Amino acid sequence: NERREIHERIAGSLEHLSDESKGIVFYARHHAMAKQWEKAFDLYMMAGKKAEEEIDFTGAVSLYTEAKPCLSRTRVKPSLKRKLSPHAALGSCYRELVRYDEAEEELEFCLDKTMDIPEDERDLAFREIEIDVITTLAKLKQAQSKYGEAMELYERALPTA
C-alpha cells in the first residue's frame, strides 16, 4: 500500500542522513503518531531541508511527501506560504533528480494556488512566494532546454521583484 511505500522510502533514505537529521525524522514521526500535526509538519520540513543540504534529494522528497498530509490534518488554516512550502520544495528536489514531470506538477500546483489569490490581497509575503515559484519553474524549463518558456517566466517574475 501507499503508506508502506512511503515508510520504506523514508527508512531507505535515513541511511544517508546525518545523526542529527535522523533524530529530527524520528521526532517528527512521534509527533505525527501523537496527532500533533503542526509540529510534525515543521519537523518533517526541517529534516527535508537538512537532507537537501546533505545533497540527499531522494531523502528530502520522502520527507517533504510525509509533511504534506500533516497540514491537511491541522485544525488551524495554514498560511499560503506554509501550505505551498512542501510543494515548492518537492518541485526543487524533483528538478535536481531530473524528475521533470513531477517537478512541473508540484510547481504548477503552487503557481495555480498563487493565482487564486485576489489582486488586492497580494502582499509582500505573497510576492516572495510568487517569485520563488516562478523562478524555480523557470530553472526547471531551463534544465529541460525550454529556453523560450524559461525566459517568459523570468520576465514574468521581473516586475514583481
Side-chain angles (χ1 to χ4, degrees), residues 68 80 84 86-92 94 99-116 129-130 132-141 144 146 149-150 152-153 156:
K68 282 169 53 173
L80 181 65
L84 297 182
H87 297 278
L90 279 166
S92 181
Y94 284 140
R99 293 167 59 179
Y100 294 145
D101 290 341
E102 293 160 291
E104 191 165 5
E105 183 180 324
E106 293 291 344
L107 295 169
E108 288 289 349
F109 172 84
C110 291
L111 200 54
D112 289 346
K113 291 298 178 191
T114 61
M115 293 301 107
D116 289 345
I129 296 165
E130 183 181 35
D132 183 49
V133 169
I134 291 172
T135 56
T136 304
L137 191 55
K139 290 175 191 172
L140 171 65
K141 298 296 183 180
Q144 294 172 299
K146 296 179 180 178
E149 291 179 48
E152 287 176 21
L153 288 163
R156 181 174 168 187

Side-chain angles (χ1 to χ4, degrees), residues 3-160:
R3 186 179 184 97
R4 196 183 91 220
E5 286 178 27
I6 289 172
H7 288 293
E8 285 175 358
R9 284 190 279 164
I10 290 172
S13 70
L14 288 176
E15 295 172 11
H16 308 291
L17 295 175
S18 67
D19 288 340
E20 179 185 0
S21 294
K22 287 178 187 176
I24 296 169
V25 172
F26 292 129
Y27 194 41
R29 183 71 186 133
H30 284 290
H31 278 285
M33 290 169 55
K35 298 186 183 337
Q36 297 173 342
W37 303 115
E38 289 183 50
K39 186 66 174 173
F41 173 83
D42 290 338
L43 291 167
Y44 279 126
M45 292 300 292
M46 184 186 307
K49 185 156 182 60
K50 279 270 188 210
E52 280 189 79
E53 290 169 0
E54 295 168 4
I55 320 296
D56 179 11
F57 296 107
T58 302
V61 163
S62 295
L63 295 163
Y64 293 139
T65 299
E66 194 75 12
K68 282 169 53 173
C70 292
L71 273 187
S72 64
R73 295 177 176 143
T74 63
R75 294 181 189 179
V76 179
K77 184 180 177 188
S79 67
L80 181 65
K81 184 174 185 171
R82 188 170 176 80
K83 183 178 179 179
L84 297 182
S85 61
H87 297 278
L90 279 166
S92 181
C93 289
Y94 284 140
R95 186 192 76 228
E96 292 292 336
L97 293 169
V98 193
R99 293 167 59 179
Y100 294 145
D101 290 341
E102 293 160 291
E104 191 165 5
E105 183 180 324
E106 293 291 344
L107 295 169
E108 288 289 349
F109 172 84
C110 291
L111 200 54
D112 289 346
K113 291 298 178 191
T114 61
M115 293 301 107
D116 289 345
I117 304 297
E119 188 67 38
D120 61 333
E121 293 179 26
R122 296 179 182 188
D123 59 7
L124 182 59
F126 169 85
R127 299 289 180 211
E128 289 174 7
I129 296 165
E130 183 181 35
I131 289 170
D132 183 49
V133 169
I134 291 172
T135 56
T136 304
L137 191 55
K139 290 175 191 172
L140 171 65
K141 298 296 183 180
Q142 192 174 345
Q144 294 172 299
S145 299
K146 296 179 180 178
Y147 301 114
E149 291 179 48
M151 285 302 296
E152 287 176 21
L153 288 163
Y154 283 126
E155 288 171 2
R156 181 174 168 187
L158 202 54
T160 307

